[in-house]
Amino acid sequence: MSVLVTGGAGYIGTHTIIELDKAGYEVVVVDNLSNSKLTGLRRVEKIIGKSIKFYEMDVCCEDSLRKVFAAEKINSVIHFAGLKAVGESVAIPLKYYENNIVSTISLVKVMKEFDCRNLVFSSSATVYGNPKSVPINESFPLSATNPYGKTKLFIEDILRDYYHANPELNIALLRYFNPIGAHKSGTIGEDPNGIPNNLMPYITQVAIGKLEQLSIYGSDYKTCDGTGVRDYIHVSDLANGHVLAIKKLETAPGIVTYNLGTGNGYSVIQMVKAFERACGKKINYRLAERRPGDIAECFADPILAKKELGFEAKFGLDEMCEDCWRWQSANPNGYES
Ligand code: NAD
Ligand code: UD1
């Protein structure tokens, strides 16, 4: 029996395939390579020492999905496929609503036809909007301020409604905090298109000299040093959380929702300092205006995932930064290096 990984060629998907393989699962990957390259999967094959079944296709296309389900014995699905650039989602909202929502609806329809009952969905801490306090637990109120975040919120709602109509299903909604880092081999990692929006890839590109200066968005938040605080989690820890979620679904729990974070918050300045330690260089930065839509502090209460999945992040801040640096310095142009 196999786990179908949609969006498996992407950043979190490639790392998750490795953890699934370690845990003894067979993997089938579908991806349209709209935000990834085949090289990532080829490198995963080298790491795990075996070939990966891969279908290049759009998850929105039910007929293509049917062919995969007909050809493979799929027991569970991890649905990573989706677009994730917040700024682009504001500029081109329909692209986000169509891709993220239609792909999920097509997927669950075809899963039903093939009596495949276990689904892990990639949600995000963005569904907590501007939280009233930290740490954030799973019962906090939900809201979203941009089309990307709204797709996550809508899909969670769609899946909750769908579950109530189909209680034989098992669904895990995983709300990720901020994934960073890379596999220890330094051969796979985050490879953003163009100028990165997220903090860590921006810092790494300043460190290798591709970008001149980091702008720190906001230094007047009510945080330890005035800069924004987030819960950064190593992508391999996050990947392992998916294996634990699949195991949980195998016990037929119905619909479950978990934060995947470390429970620790670090400020932008703390991240810069940690990265400087890891790479042995100074990061050129300036203090800038707040970024619209940003919140002061966001970090997880990770207790539920610990209690019910046995999930606990292993990697600390320094190791996350070292792994980012190993990947970025060996692959200055990502998979095009
Ligand atoms: P990514 O862009 O690296 O990977 C997503 C993959 O999905 C890409 O390989 C892309 O080509 C593929 N894809 C997109 N639409 C598709 C479609 N219609 N059909 C087939 N393939 C399609 O992103 P990631 O960082 O690995 O994120 C994976 C998931 O986790 C996404 O749903 C994202 O929204 C969610 N998430 C990511 C973060 C983060 O910070 N990286 C945080 C919270 C949630
Ligand atoms: C962002 C998205 C969020 C998405 C998440 C993961 C926004 C408003 N939010 O979250 O929806 O789920 O990425 O993809 O885009 N920072 C700088 N300088 C930079 C970049 C970031 O100071 O060049 C700061 C930010 O202000 C923030 C922290 O670094 O305080 C982390 O930013 P980022 O990596 O973009 O993640 P989030 O804002 O948490």
Side-chain angles (χ1 to χ4, degrees):
M1 285 301 219
S2 299
V3 177
L4 177 67
V5 182
T6 78
Y11 174 46
I12 307 173
T14 45
H15 289 82
T16 301
I17 296 168
I18 294 168
E19 300 306 316
L20 286 167
D21 177 71
K22 260 192 226 164
Y25 289 97
E26 294 291 322
V27 172
V28 175
V29 172
V30 300
D31 200 303
N32 63 2
L33 303 179
S34 59
N35 196 39
S36 54
K37 301 198 177 62
L38 205 48
T39 318
L41 281 181
R42 296 288 167 252
R43 293 190 183 179
V44 173
E45 289 179 330
K46 275 203 172 156
I47 294 168
I48 66 177
K50 60 175 83 143
S51 61
I52 294 168
K53 279 189 188 159
F54 173 60
Y55 295 81
E56 184 174 340
M57 51 157 272
D58 192 324
V59 182
C60 296
C61 176
E62 288 178 34
D63 280 341
S64 304
L65 279 171
R66 271 185 203 105
K67 284 184 190 139
V68 176
F69 276 84
E72 310 289 345
K73 287 195 162 55
I74 308 289
N75 194 43
S76 305
V77 179
I78 304 180
H79 182 35
F80 290 115
L83 299 173
K84 62 168 184 176
V86 174
E88 189 188 52
S89 81
V90 175
I92 324 175
L94 293 187
K95 181 176 171 185
Y96 276 68
Y97 289 125
E98 183 168 21
N99 188 74
N100 293 2
I101 295 175
V102 173
S103 63
T104 308
I105 293 175
S106 300
L107 178 66
V108 293
K109 278 166 78 178
V110 175
M111 284 175 69
K112 173 125 177 128
E113 287 171 28
F114 287 84
D115 196 28
C116 178
R117 299 182 176 191
N118 299 343
L119 173 67
V120 176
F121 173 64
S122 295
S123 187
S124 166
T126 197
V127 299
Y128 295 116
N130 194 349
K132 60 183 190 304
S133 61
V134 278
I136 301 167
N137 71 44
E138 288 81 353
S139 55
F140 270 36
L142 305 179
S143 69
T145 53
N146 56 68
Y148 163 72
K150 286 181 194 165
T151 68
K152 294 297 178 192
L153 209 52
F154 293 159
I155 295 168
E156 282 203 6
D157 271 339
I158 290 168
L159 292 176
R160 279 186 284 267
D161 289 344
Y162 189 62
Y163 168 74
H164 288 302
N166 299 273
E168 72 283 4
L169 296 178
N170 299 294
I171 301 177
L173 307 174
L174 300 184
R175 295 178 181 155
Y176 313 154
F177 283 69
N178 292 53
I180 63 167
H183 184 259
K184 293 282 168 200
S185 63
T187 60
I188 61 167
E190 189 170 10
D191 182 19
N193 279 330
I195 296 178
N197 298 309
N198 296 119
L199 178 65
M200 213 50 196
Y202 205 106
I203 294 180
T204 61
Q205 294 198 12
V206 172
I208 52 162
K210 274 179 85 173
L211 295 171
E212 208 170 305
Q213 188 180 53
L214 170 72
S215 296
I216 295 186
Y217 298 136
S219 51
D220 57 352
Y221 287 111
K222 284 198 178 106
T223 59
C224 57
D225 55 23
T227 66
V229 166
R230 297 290 184 274
D231 185 337
Y232 298 93
I233 176 168
H234 196 294
V235 65
S236 295
D237 276 331
L238 188 70
N240 185 43
H242 291 73
V243 175
L244 297 172
I246 290 282
K247 288 187 194 294
K248 178 76 178 179
L249 295 185
E250 288 166 355
T251 69
I255 191 160
V256 288
T257 305
Y258 300 110
N259 284 341
L260 291 183
T262 66
N264 302 312
Y266 292 106
S267 74
V268 179
I269 296 273
Q270 287 171 328
M271 295 306 289
V272 168
K273 295 294 163 208
F275 198 79
E276 287 178 342
R277 286 196 295 279
C279 73
K281 301 179 186 198
K282 282 276 167 216
I283 300 297
N284 180 17
Y285 70 81
R286 71 179 183 105
L287 300 179
E289 291 298 300
R290 292 182 180 193
R291 181 171 65 177
D294 268 359
I295 55 176
E297 275 194 298
C298 175
F299 57 91
D301 176 344
I303 295 300
L304 191 66
K306 182 172 182 192
K307 207 170 106 199
E308 295 193 5
L309 297 180
F311 174 76
E312 205 163 8
K314 279 200 313 242
F315 299 107
L317 182 58
D318 288 334
E319 226 171 333
M320 293 190 228
C321 291
E322 283 158 20
D323 293 347
C324 277
W325 181 235
R326 190 177 305 108
W327 153 251
Q328 182 72 84
S329 52
N331 303 271
N333 297 314
Y335 290 117
E336 270 162 20
S337 296

